[in-house]
Amino acid sequence: MQLQDSLQQEVITSVNKSLTFDVLYQVIRPDISTFIAASSKLPLKNLDYWECLIRWTISSSLQTSHPQYARFKNYLIGSLKWLDVCNADGFRREKALRTLSGGAPNSFLFALVVRKLNDWVPQVREAARDVLPLIAECSDPEIIVDVLFITLPYWNSWGRMGDREKDILMKIILMEKVTESLKKRLIYSTSGPVATVFMQAGRINALDAFLTEIAESSVQPTLRAKAYRCLFESKFVWAEGMTWQWIDKAYGIRRSVPVLKERIIDTKRPFLENLKMATIDRSPIVRRIAGEMLIKELDHIGDEAFRLAKILESDTSLSVSERGRYALADLEKRR
């Protein structure tokens, strides 16, 4: 709590300092270096809170510290750029976006621009679509991946964000430097929503060539399990949002269920090779999928089926061993 209070005060101070010089001078040469320095310390959680704080501070600072503001506001042809991305005025947000150049100074500021893909003003969303690829080309890929990790798991709840806005982020993921950085982050992350990020990124083919590496090397078992399932089923499946499903119309009972979409992929390694690797994976989550796929494909596996079933039967995990026993019993019936 103390840390947040300290960061809050630092942000307010930095915004006020950026707006202390004469209004006419800021038309010519705005200086927001203190704000950029302060924003680099902000976490990527609670972005709504931080953006509202910045917006309120801008408005409050100009109205209380600059009585000339009302007189000159129609002549402010310049832009505070990264600071104005949070401005309450949609015209200022659009102008700020269109005047941005170069890479994002830090993850927080890049996240602010990504959030404009869900802005309530259509012209601001259009400006964000136009400028984001240009900013991404000049930005550190680690900054971009930071923002992808806090955007992809939740963007289906962004009500104003449409397919065109999502396509922009997918095109950014297709950039070679971003793909490589995203792959490494997925593999080596010890926490976080890596499986969700992976499946959402699976809308396009950026990670297709790395599926085997992700399945075998990822630290998080849930991600290895997702990657193996993609290899087994030769497709990515992701949630596109939620919809209502009736359980009993007579009583008005319904439930919320995910809307699923899929993309077929070409897997290079044979199914049996993937199955062998999944069977000896260090996590029961993955071995359980191996048992599921063994049962499903018993007719097509051949002589290896019995050996793999024996391995699974002796597993220390009950949910895995019971799949092995089921496969063995089914094989016995076929003899």
Side-chain angles (χ1 to χ4, degrees), residues 8 11-12 14-16 19 35 42 46-64 69 80-94 97 108-109 111-113 115-121 124 160:
Q8 176 179 310
V11 168
I12 293 173
S14 70
V15 173
N16 288 332
L19 299 174
F35 168 70
L42 296 178
N46 300 323
L47 284 173
D48 272 334
Y49 170 79
W50 294 112
E51 186 170 355
C52 287
L53 175 66
I54 295 167
R55 183 181 303 122
W56 174 83
T57 308
I58 292 172
S59 178
S60 177
S61 179
L62 289 175
Q63 289 177 12
T64 59
Y69 176 65
L80 295 170
K81 294 189 176 182
W82 293 104
L83 183 56
D84 252 350
V85 170
C86 298
N87 201 296
D89 186 336
F91 291 106
R92 299 287 291 180
R93 293 198 303 278
E94 180 186 4
L97 288 170
F108 180 82
L109 294 178
L112 287 183
V113 179
R115 280 170 59 82
K116 299 308 111 181
L117 292 173
N118 191 50
D119 197 274
W120 58 89
V121 179
V124 176
R160 293 174 291 271

Side-chain angles (χ1 to χ4, degrees), residues 5-182:
D5 289 343
S6 174
L7 288 173
Q8 176 179 310
Q9 188 56 50
E10 188 170 352
V11 168
I12 293 173
T13 302
S14 70
V15 173
N16 288 332
K17 188 174 181 180
S18 297
L19 299 174
T20 53
F21 44 83
D22 188 85
V23 171
L24 290 180
Y25 179 70
Q26 86 184 32
V27 173
I28 304 169
R29 194 187 297 273
D31 180 11
I32 60 168
S33 57
T34 55
F35 168 70
I36 291 176
S39 66
S40 66
K41 303 176 185 179
L42 296 178
L44 296 184
K45 293 182 179 180
N46 300 323
L47 284 173
D48 272 334
Y49 170 79
W50 294 112
E51 186 170 355
C52 287
L53 175 66
I54 295 167
R55 183 181 303 122
W56 174 83
T57 308
I58 292 172
S59 178
S60 177
S61 179
L62 289 175
Q63 289 177 12
T64 59
S65 303
H66 299 286
Q68 297 183 68
Y69 176 65
R71 177 182 172 189
F72 290 115
K73 66 180 180 179
N74 292 330
Y75 301 98
L76 292 178
I77 58 174
S79 173
L80 295 170
K81 294 189 176 182
W82 293 104
L83 183 56
D84 252 350
V85 170
C86 298
N87 201 296
D89 186 336
F91 291 106
R92 299 287 291 180
R93 293 198 303 278
E94 180 186 4
K95 182 180 290 185
L97 288 170
R98 295 200 180 280
T99 56
L100 293 177
S101 60
N106 55 58
S107 300
F108 180 82
L109 294 178
F110 188 76
L112 287 183
V113 179
V114 170
R115 280 170 59 82
K116 299 308 111 181
L117 292 173
N118 191 50
D119 197 274
W120 58 89
V121 179
Q123 291 82 355
V124 176
R125 296 200 297 272
E126 181 182 355
R129 292 198 304 268
D130 292 341
V131 76
L132 257 176
L134 303 177
I135 295 175
E137 285 179 2
C138 302
S139 297
D140 183 339
E142 291 299 313
I143 286 176
I144 298 172
V145 173
D146 284 343
V147 178
L148 290 176
F149 261 65
I150 58 101
T151 300
L152 295 182
Y154 312 109
W155 67 350
N156 285 326
S157 64
W158 292 11
R160 293 174 291 271
M161 188 179 197
D163 290 339
R164 287 191 298 173
E165 286 76 23
K166 290 183 178 181
D167 287 344
I168 293 299
L169 282 185
M170 291 297 104
K171 289 177 181 177
I172 290 174
I173 292 175
L174 282 170
M175 294 179 181
E176 185 176 351
K177 66 175 183 178
V178 178
T179 300
E180 184 64 26
S181 183
L182 177 59

